[in-house]
Amino acid sequence: MSLSEQCTFRGTPYVTGAASATLLATDLELSFWGGVDPRTGEVIDRFHPLSGCFLKDTILAIPGGRGSCGGSVIMMELILNGLGPKGLIFARREEIITLGVIVAEELFDRTAAVVTLSPEDFREVLGWNGKTVHIQGDLVSNTPLEANTAIGAAKPSFDLNSYNIQLTETDRAMLRGASGEAATISLRIIIKMASMMGAQELIDICQAHVDGAWYGPGSVTFAQRLRDWGGKFQVPTTINSLNVDQKRWRALGINTEFGSACDELAKAFVDMGGKISFTCAPYLLETAPKLGDPIAWGESNAVIYANSVLGARTLKNPNMFEVLIALTGRAPKAGPYLDENRFASIWLRVTPPEDTDDSFWPILGYALGSIANTRIPVISGLEHLKPSKDNFKAFSAAFATSSSASMFHMVSLTPEAPTLEAVCAKGIVPEVLDVGWKELDAIWDEFNHGSEPREIDLISFGNPHFSYNEIKELSKLCLGRIKKKDVAVIVTCGRSQYGLASQAGYVGELEAFGVQFLQDTCWCSIEEPVIPKNTRAIMTNSGKYIHYGPGLTGRQFAFGSLEMCVNAACIGKTTGDPPSWLLKARSS
């Protein structure tokens, strides 16, 4: 089809609206969290083809989201700040970003049109990039559409009969207001999302981990409004990491207005019954769920770890959706809650290099996540490596960053995959792809921008939060060594793991070396002045932070193993050389 042809496509409108604007389009998924700045509307994912573009007053066409569950709150903040797109066009059902639009519409009467096209029609629309595009309800066109005054004239009413969801009498009573306004609004949104997911009923969940405590003006209003409407969590609920170390932010020089707002946001969740956990690694807590437990977790790395490593069951909940589920105790019976949606649809056959170290797992996770994309992979070839909980943590975080899948399986290593066939529908093995050192080498170069040597000013550990064992290992690597004076080393961790490591003496040993510990917060939220203003380059062992860090901080980045990071802390630079296992693979 030529660009001069007039063409109109019909799709599925998940948020009905009307919009006309210049199309900003790409065939690569985008994580709104860490990929878009809600204060400016700029795409800040420096690995993405739309990097540097602004979303304000555009119609954005992307296949879907990827990475962080926090994209929903960024979408909401963009709408409330007047910096978001007027409409969104997807190639598949996109729950995370769409939830942000639905919350903005339900709680704040602000919205954007959301339409999903068939993959074939979406590819045609990509050819309109830079041209004016029009959305009207379920229609997407490159020519003006006849205005429908019923679309966008007023906030749509909630018609329960239009949603084919089986509800219990308790659900119906909740919709009538029996449990308060917060529960009513929450259940309305849950029903809308359940319909979008194709669920026919709701299920009870046994615990939640809420990722809504990330600061933004809209986030504060969201949490406080639900609390003031009488919201109370109906199941045990832990709270994700905050933007600040709650006990020390004043001493760290954090702006008083910002720190106080973060405190108010956290207080709203505590007031609703949230536990003071403030960690992005809830699987390290004693309350971690067990095999088969239906839960509602936010935070992408935690979702992947829970579904894959623990064998619990949770949706890859958009940020804020797990809050709504916790307020009702009810979730759509869809996605990974169902056996048939936990089967693998691609087999990744890995040939790992010999003598790998801890840097192998985030590199592998990012590589396999990129390959799997939306598909749940079953991974073989790693059985002899016996990954630790921390290896799984690093893998899960990197996998969650580069993919939009809700889980993975590793043959004989994760609980649902004792064999390859066990995680294949009807035992039928899916498409197989081989992954070797060359694919891992490409990720190393991507992480390190061609493996250039550079001066290092800051070492970042703890994305996701460091465990007790990682703190212990770091202490061993630093023992008897001297940190370069002008290199900062900062570890983020949860209160529980910090307490254990402190009692064991590891925190004291590391502080003597020059390590600074931050609790409650995580690297995805840390800015100046915690990151010293004169910092030019940051080194990390995190596959998640090496992806998001450049856009979030504006600094140069380097990646390496735990030991490589400690070496850089002592000499003030990194050589840029790959780890020995990758060097050996290159030369073989």
Side-chain angles (χ1 to χ4, degrees):
M1 182 188 76
S2 68
L3 291 178
S4 61
E5 290 183 34
Q6 297 181 356
C7 196
T8 299
F9 297 111
R10 189 177 298 276
T12 302
Y14 287 112
V15 179
T16 301
S20 296
T22 301
L23 185 69
L24 185 64
T26 179
D27 60 356
L28 182 64
E29 289 81 0
L30 173 67
S31 172
F32 269 51
W33 195 96
V36 181
D37 188 339
R39 297 164 295 188
T40 64
E42 180 189 358
V43 177
I44 58 171
D45 180 347
R46 300 311 176 206
F47 296 88
H48 199 275
L50 295 182
S51 176
C53 295
F54 289 83
L55 301 186
K56 178 178 168 60
D57 296 336
T58 66
I59 289 177
L60 177 67
I62 54 176
R66 66 173 181 177
S68 176
C69 302
S72 50
V73 77
I74 299 300
M75 186 68 238
M76 179 191 72
E77 294 280 355
L78 287 167
I79 291 174
L80 299 184
N81 292 340
L83 297 171
K86 291 182 177 180
L88 297 128
I89 302 171
F90 299 121
R92 61 174 183 270
R93 188 182 75 210
E94 168 44 56
E95 292 143 12
I96 291 176
I97 300 171
T98 304
L99 186 275
V101 180
I102 293 174
V103 170
E105 185 174 75
E106 282 285 339
L107 271 73
F108 302 103
D109 295 325
R110 303 279 295 278
T111 193
V114 180
V115 183
T116 296
L117 299 177
S118 70
E120 296 76 21
D121 291 347
F122 179 83
R123 283 194 292 272
E124 294 286 352
V125 168
L126 288 178
W128 304 347
N129 189 35
K131 306 296 183 181
T132 299
V133 170
H134 309 272
I135 297 175
Q136 186 77 218
D138 62 347
L139 301 178
V140 176
S141 181
N142 61 357
T143 57
L145 295 162
E146 183 177 349
N148 182 343
T149 56
I151 295 176
K155 178 181 175 179
S157 60
F158 181 79
D159 180 10
L160 184 59
N161 294 324
S162 65
Y163 301 100
N164 186 29
I165 308 294
Q166 299 176 29
L167 300 177
T168 65
E169 184 50 44
T170 301
D171 293 332
R172 294 180 181 278
M174 194 179 295
L175 286 174
R176 293 193 296 267
S179 301
E181 188 172 3
T184 299
I185 297 296
S186 296
L187 190 56
R188 281 173 48 164
I189 297 175
I190 290 168
I191 290 170
K192 286 186 176 183
M193 291 295 289
S195 178
M196 180 179 175
M197 295 173 185
Q200 297 182 342
E201 60 183 313
L202 307 180
I203 63 168
D204 291 330
I205 53 107
C206 64
Q207 67 163 266
H209 179 72
V210 295
D211 189 21
W214 180 87
Y215 172 76
S219 300
V220 177
T221 305
F222 167 80
Q224 291 180 335
R225 188 165 293 185
L226 290 171
R227 178 198 60 192
D228 296 344
W229 284 342
K232 292 292 182 184
F233 295 138
Q234 300 303 302
V235 294
T237 300
T238 51
I239 305 174
N240 204 55
S241 55
L242 312 176
N243 291 73
V244 296
D245 184 326
Q246 195 179 55
K247 294 182 287 188
R248 297 182 57 225
W249 63 261
R250 292 176 179 84
L252 292 167
I254 302 294
N255 174 274
T256 300
E257 182 178 353
F258 176 74
S260 298
C262 292
D263 279 349
E264 287 300 311
L265 177 57
K267 183 178 185 300
F269 285 109
V270 173
D271 289 347
M272 288 189 282
K275 310 297 181 186
I276 299 178
S277 50
F278 302 152
T279 180
C280 55
Y283 39 82
L284 298 177
L285 301 173
E286 292 181 355
T287 53
K290 297 177 176 57
L291 180 66
D293 283 352
I295 63 175
W297 275 16
E299 167 57 47
S300 58
N301 96 83
V303 167
I304 300 298
Y305 193 101
N307 275 327
S308 310
V309 183
L310 301 180
R313 300 194 169 202
T314 178
L315 300 171
K316 190 174 182 181
N317 284 299
N319 188 308
M320 301 183 292
F321 194 51
E322 78 286 353
V323 176
L324 307 177
I325 294 173
L327 288 169
T328 61
R330 303 283 278 163
K333 190 176 182 181
Y337 288 125
L338 300 172
D339 290 344
E340 59 266 30
N341 293 332
R342 298 175 72 86
F343 288 124
S345 54
I346 184 171
W347 175 16
L348 301 181
R349 191 164 52 191
V350 178
T351 303
E354 296 180 0
D355 303 320
T356 58
D357 60 19
D358 58 279
S359 66
F360 169 74
W361 295 100
I363 290 174
L364 181 69
Y366 196 92
L368 299 190
S370 299
I371 295 168
N373 197 357
T374 62
R375 297 172 289 183
I376 294 174
V378 55
I379 303 158
S380 66
L382 307 175
E383 296 86 338
H384 64 290
L385 295 181
K386 296 181 171 49
S388 67
K389 291 180 181 180
D390 292 321
N391 295 148
F392 272 128
K393 177 162 71 76
F395 179 96
S396 296
F399 179 90
T401 300
S402 61
S403 82
S404 54
S406 58
M407 64 182 300
F408 62 84
H409 300 286
M410 284 187 187
V411 176
S412 84
L413 296 173
T414 54
E416 295 174 60
T419 64
L420 174 69
E421 293 75 17
V423 292
C424 300
K426 299 179 181 178
I428 300 173
V429 176
E431 171 195 4
V432 60
L433 289 176
D434 290 317
V435 179
W437 72 268
K438 289 184 179 179
E439 287 77 14
L440 306 183
D441 195 39
I443 299 300
W444 167 265
D445 279 345
E446 182 176 337
F447 280 1
N448 284 284
H449 306 283
S451 300
E452 297 176 0
R454 58 171 52 97
E455 303 286 326
I456 297 296
D457 305 297
L458 170 64
I459 307 295
S460 154
F461 292 127
N463 190 350
H465 275 169
F466 248 28
S467 69
Y468 166 85
N469 285 330
E470 286 175 305
I471 297 171
K472 178 181 177 181
E473 182 61 26
L474 180 61
S475 180
K476 289 181 180 179
L477 289 171
C478 294
L479 187 65
R481 304 192 68 181
I482 299 174
K483 182 183 72 68
K484 197 168 190 291
K485 185 177 180 180
D486 55 356
V487 177
V489 181
I490 303 177
V491 171
T492 62
C493 58
R495 296 185 181 191
S496 67
Q497 302 299 297
Y498 177 86
L500 292 172
S502 183
Q503 289 174 15
Y506 298 123
V507 169
E509 291 174 2
L510 285 168
E511 287 179 336
F513 174 78
V515 173
Q516 179 183 2
F517 281 87
L518 297 178
Q519 299 173 69
D520 304 339
T521 190
C522 191
W523 282 101
C524 290
S525 302
I526 295 175
E527 300 177 348
E528 294 180 14
V530 177
I531 295 177
K533 190 171 184 179
N534 61 356
T535 299
R536 296 158 299 174
I538 299 172
M539 188 171 186
T540 182
N541 69 335
S542 166
K544 179 176 181 178
Y545 195 47
I546 196 67
H547 178 91
Y548 291 125
L552 290 171
T553 68
R555 268 67 172 197
Q556 294 181 334
F557 267 74
F559 172 84
S561 67
L562 193 65
E563 184 175 8
M564 293 167 73
C565 289
V566 171
N567 290 339
C570 294
I571 64 175
K573 60 184 178 181
T574 175
T575 65
D577 292 334
S580 58
W581 58 268
L582 195 49
L583 277 175
K584 188 184 299 183
R586 285 179 176 179
S587 62
S588 62

